[in-house]
Amino acid sequence: MTGPGRPVALVTGASAGLGAEFARQLAALRYDIVAVARRRNRLEQLASELGDSHGVRVEVIAADLADIHAPRMIADQVAARGLEVDYLVNNAGSAGSELIEDRDWGAHASFLQLMMTSMAHLCHLFVPGMCERGHGRIINVASVAGRIAQARDTSYGPTKAYVVALSEALHLTCKHQGVNVCALCPGFTHTEFHEVADMLDLKAASPGFIWYDADVVVREGLAAVEKGKCVYVSGRIYRWIDPMLQSVFLRRLIQRLAAR
């Protein structure tokens, strides 16, 4: 059960990183939380933390969104607990393998389910209720990697480009019904992501000024969706670079240089 009169936020990938930080900041805003991730023990630790620090209720749902049945199961559990979702944060994700070199199609299919299909499915399940009630917020976590094509990024970046396109279309469709949708596009962010993806060497070799803390990314994302921004690039340096990446002339120049 949730507190009397409090709105409910559902956060996927809530066991660590940006997801856990979204849950913390939304709890501080007096949202009750539905925390979704694979690791139940992590979710239960988060629930205890948020209950103690903010006095909100946290419902835990252990689910793997790479499973095609997970979104429907999540929606059924939310309904069974008598909840209506007012705020949806689609954050669950992982680094992708290389589409051409990795010959295990099953792994690619699971990745695409996690990164794109599950997000679309959760929007399909929860956005109509928000529109009927005349209020809702959706943050779909994308990435700066989805803003420009890169050689050898044939999985992660393309899925994030879909997240941006989906969010833009949903926002245009739903904004007149009181529902704001935002694709949040972080750059390099201090989370467990790079450790899990075996990318710590890349992190160590890159300059510190391109890295942002998770609390900054989340705070900017929450503010952006409230302002009705359908795409928001987090981090000052990335907001400076992004218009150049979106220039047709510069995109073609970058692609020619990469081809050489």
Side-chain angles (χ1 to χ4, degrees), residues 118-175:
S118 69
M119 185 178 294
H121 197 172
L122 288 171
C123 288
H124 169 76
L125 292 166
F126 289 113
V127 171
M130 295 180 187
C131 292
E132 288 174 9
R133 295 189 296 273
H135 181 80
R137 298 289 182 265
I138 301 102
I139 294 178
N140 295 324
V141 178
S143 172
V144 169
R147 303 291 283 165
I148 187 169
Q150 302 174 71
R152 298 188 63 79
D153 179 10
T154 53
S155 294
Y156 185 81
T159 64
K160 294 303 189 181
Y162 169 78
V163 172
V164 172
L166 173 66
S167 301
E168 289 180 304
L170 280 174
H171 182 72
L172 292 171
T173 302
C174 302
K175 65 179 182 177

Side-chain angles (χ1 to χ4, degrees), residues 145-226:
R147 303 291 283 165
I148 187 169
Q150 302 174 71
R152 298 188 63 79
D153 179 10
T154 53
S155 294
Y156 185 81
T159 64
K160 294 303 189 181
Y162 169 78
V163 172
V164 172
L166 173 66
S167 301
E168 289 180 304
L170 280 174
H171 182 72
L172 292 171
T173 302
C174 302
K175 65 179 182 177
H176 299 299
Q177 295 168 282
V179 178
N180 291 354
V181 184
C182 179
L184 175 62
C185 299
F188 288 114
T189 306
H190 293 296
T191 67
E192 294 179 4
F193 178 89
H194 297 88
E195 179 179 353
V196 173
D198 293 326
M199 297 169 66
L200 289 180
D201 289 344
L202 178 150
K203 184 174 183 179
S206 58
F209 67 85
I210 69 172
W211 291 84
Y212 286 84
D213 291 331
D215 65 314
V216 174
V217 173
V218 169
R219 185 167 60 250
E220 291 186 350
L222 295 176
V225 75
E226 285 303 318

Side-chain angles (χ1 to χ4, degrees), residues 248-260:
V248 173
F249 171 77
L250 288 175
R251 287 169 74 95
R252 289 175 178 169
L253 177 61
I254 291 169
Q255 288 166 357
R256 287 182 190 135
L257 292 173
R260 292 176 185 174

